[in-house]
Amino acid sequence: MVSLPDLMLLNNLEKLELCSSPLTCLSTSGNGLPPALKQLKVRNCDKLKSLIAEEGIKINGPSLQSISISCCMRLKTLPDLTLLNNLEKLYLYSCPLTCLSSGSGLPPALKELTVTECAELKSLIAEEGIKIYCPSLESVEISDCVRLKTLPVVMQNNNGLKNLSRLKINGCHNLESLPEGWFPTTDLHIVRCEKLEPLPNHAYSNNNLASLEKLRLIKSPQLLSHIPDEGSSSCFTNLTSLFISDVDIGKLCGLHRLYSLRVLSLFYNDWVSFREDWMLSFPSSLVVLQICYFPNLEKLSFKDFENLVSLEQLEINNCPKLTAISELEHLPSLLNLEISECTNLASFPEQPLPPSLLSLHIKHCPMLWQLFKKGKGQYWGFIAHIPQVMINHLFVFDPRW
């Protein structure tokens, strides 16, 4: 066994960083870390098997505030961390851990938890059936932990995760459920969690989602059953930003009831026409609208969205079958318009663009750019008043254009 000398003798050590060390454990002397140690960082220690020699012992570090462990390919378990009363940040990257703590919970003062590319991770805590209680926890990010199936149940009576404001789960392809109590107050990102089951009905009715401000759902089509419907008027009432992809159109039937929504990003959908496929309207509060990666979208008319009186920024990109955009004059507050990667787009509004428009960017739309040639193009008269016009990254007033 290769280890460091007795760490407890290093009374004034505040930061310990190990890189590419042959250690198999940090210390063989008891369960303690140096009393003044605040930051522990371990990376690329291929032979490291444990932090302390004795299994089943709670590790003690009275001053420790941050632990970062990355690329330690033999580290399969961590000791019980519940005695680390001042630990606020725990970062784990690319380690074959099966759980985060061999004990029954998380450090009581933990604020930030980040776990990335731990492919063997099956649970956050070792003891099954234990309800998690960590009211200090504010941010949780779990990415590419492909064997993780569920998160621990939260202790409800004492508001076990009452300060959780941000939850990001990405690439956990076998995650099946999101238990009650894991709903953050501000920011929820769920990306590439294809097996995640729909939220239960009580998640919509118990104000669990009422305070949420940012919601990002990408390739996790089953999580939400609606956004929202008549029966969930208290749901998403504070939502200001929604980024959603691969969603069934019926789940968006209540978009116009999101009265606080300012940013809407729609990605990766197979709708042919908004009007034919989308029998609903946007909220009038919308300021930014992004329509991206619609492979079958053919036409886009804004006559059907006359309530977008506050829209300032419109982005349309990667719609290869889109041939026409029309009725932009129905967007009276539009300041910025960006169109890119729409290779078949050949028709622009015949009516003048909104007089409010300050910036027009067109990129990689080969059938369109000739129509904007200075003094010659069919649509030059419609854009001459716009202060900033860029086509393929060049200003139209540039002599090279």
Side-chain angles (χ1 to χ4, degrees), residues 156-176:
Q156 295 297 321
N157 293 338
N158 296 316
N159 297 316
L161 295 178
K162 65 179 181 180
N163 288 310
L164 184 66
S165 61
R166 179 177 181 269
L167 176 63
K168 181 178 180 180
I169 305 178
N170 185 357
C172 296
H173 304 294
N174 285 300
L175 186 66
E176 296 176 351

Side-chain angles (χ1 to χ4, degrees), residues 29-182:
S29 56
N31 67 339
L33 293 173
L37 188 67
K38 294 181 179 179
Q39 183 177 350
L40 173 63
K41 189 172 184 179
V42 184
R43 66 181 189 274
N44 297 321
C45 295
D46 293 338
K47 296 183 179 181
L48 186 70
K49 295 182 178 180
S50 62
L51 299 188
I52 55 177
E54 297 183 51
E55 294 185 3
I57 300 296
K58 294 184 178 181
I59 191 170
N60 188 18
S63 302
L64 194 60
Q65 298 175 359
S66 172
I67 294 179
S68 174
I69 304 175
S70 59
C71 301
C72 296
M73 305 315 294
R74 293 190 182 184
L75 185 64
K76 295 184 178 181
T77 61
L78 293 177
D80 190 331
L81 304 177
T82 54
L83 287 183
L84 298 177
N85 293 325
N86 291 303
L87 187 70
E88 296 183 353
K89 297 181 180 180
L90 178 58
Y91 174 85
L92 302 165
Y93 171 74
S94 193
C95 298
L97 295 165
T98 57
C99 66
L100 301 190
S101 176
S102 60
S104 58
L106 296 174
L110 192 66
K111 293 182 178 181
E112 297 180 19
L113 173 63
T114 302
V115 188
T116 304
E117 293 186 20
C118 293
E120 302 299 320
L121 187 72
K122 295 181 180 179
S123 62
L124 297 191
I125 53 179
E127 297 186 32
E128 294 185 4
I130 297 295
K131 293 185 177 180
I132 194 172
Y133 179 73
C134 191
S136 60
L137 196 60
E138 298 174 356
S139 174
V140 175
E141 182 172 342
I142 304 174
S143 301
D144 298 307
C145 297
V146 295
R147 295 197 177 186
L148 184 66
K149 288 189 175 183
T150 187
L151 299 175
V153 176
V154 176
M155 190 177 294
Q156 295 297 321
N157 293 338
N158 296 316
N159 297 316
L161 295 178
K162 65 179 181 180
N163 288 310
L164 184 66
S165 61
R166 179 177 181 269
L167 176 63
K168 181 178 180 180
I169 305 178
N170 185 357
C172 296
H173 304 294
N174 285 300
L175 186 66
E176 296 176 351
S177 64
L178 190 63
E180 186 174 2
W182 281 96

Side-chain angles (χ1 to χ4, degrees), residues 6 35 206 245 250 309 352:
D6 191 346
N206 292 348
S245 79
V309 294

